Amino acid sequence: HLRKIMNQSFYQTAVQLSFGCLVTLDDNGVIVGFDSFIQAIPEDTTAGFTGRKLTDIFIPVDKQGYEQEALCSQHHTHKPDLPKQMLTRYADNLYIEWKMTPVGEDDAETPLILGSGIDVTDYIELKQQLHHVDRLATVGQLAAGIAHDAFVLMAALFRMRS
């Protein structure tokens, strides 16, 4: 467990500096330790995270634009199926962006991965709203173009009639 490698106060400081979650994973992506300062993740729930794969709890949302390089040192042959950075969803309304880093000695029997997660829900919601506004603007431009063409056609018909 990472707390054995790092002293307790250093670990707590790391959790606080992450402004969100700090997770310790084994080389298979299974949670060994989990701490969170995100209120949307109840503390009594996090106890049940240990022993489960991170991607079973935090569902990857969009891997496009994120580094897909595997997390391991050059000395380890087993590579977990986690990218260095990924966006995940928890409980349908909370988005966490994870940054993963291998920790521990290269000759360690079981290499550990330290993941720092921050709540990016507000950012994702704003991005979705901006996308919606862009779509509305596009529809508005299309409607204005059609109205202009219809007006030109009607003006030509009225001129021909008179």
Side-chain angles (χ1 to χ4, degrees):
H1 193 268
L2 191 60
R3 290 182 199 206
K4 293 176 185 174
I5 296 172
M6 300 159 65
N7 70 34
Q8 184 66 26
S9 64
F10 180 76
Y11 184 82
Q12 278 299 88
T13 302
V15 173
Q16 290 171 349
L17 289 175
S18 74
F19 296 108
C21 306
L22 199 62
V23 64
T24 310
L25 307 171
D26 67 10
D27 62 343
N28 292 314
V30 175
I31 298 173
V32 178
F34 188 91
D35 288 290
S36 174
F37 280 100
I38 298 175
Q39 293 180 353
I41 303 175
E43 192 173 331
D44 57 338
T45 305
T46 62
F49 291 175
T50 304
R52 295 175 61 192
K53 286 191 82 149
L54 178 72
T55 54
D56 290 344
I57 299 167
F58 296 91
I59 310 301
V61 174
D62 180 18
K63 292 183 181 179
Q64 291 180 356
Y66 291 95
E67 296 178 43
Q68 294 297 312
E69 186 179 327
L71 292 168
C72 71
S73 72
Q74 296 174 348
H75 303 295
H76 298 293
T77 55
H78 177 72
K79 293 183 178 182
D81 58 350
L82 293 170
K84 284 186 175 181
Q85 183 176 0
M86 70 177 167
L87 178 64
T88 61
R89 187 185 78 247
Y90 174 76
D92 293 329
N93 60 352
L94 179 66
Y95 291 89
I96 307 285
E97 184 176 61
W98 295 97
K99 292 189 185 334
M100 305 294 183
T101 306
V103 293
E105 302 297 323
D106 286 338
D107 60 349
E109 201 172 293
T110 56
L112 295 175
I113 299 166
L114 178 63
S116 174
I118 59 170
D119 181 356
V120 293
T121 304
D122 292 339
Y123 170 76
I124 296 297
E125 288 173 354
L126 287 173
K127 193 174 171 181
Q128 289 171 343
Q129 289 174 4
L130 181 61
H131 183 66
H132 180 69
V133 167
D134 283 345
R135 282 187 291 171
L136 288 176
T138 301
V139 169
Q141 287 175 338
L142 177 65
I146 291 171
H148 175 74
D149 290 347
F151 177 76
V152 169
L153 182 63
M154 289 173 63
L157 288 174
F158 282 129
R159 269 188 258 132
M160 285 177 48
R161 190 163 190 219
S162 54

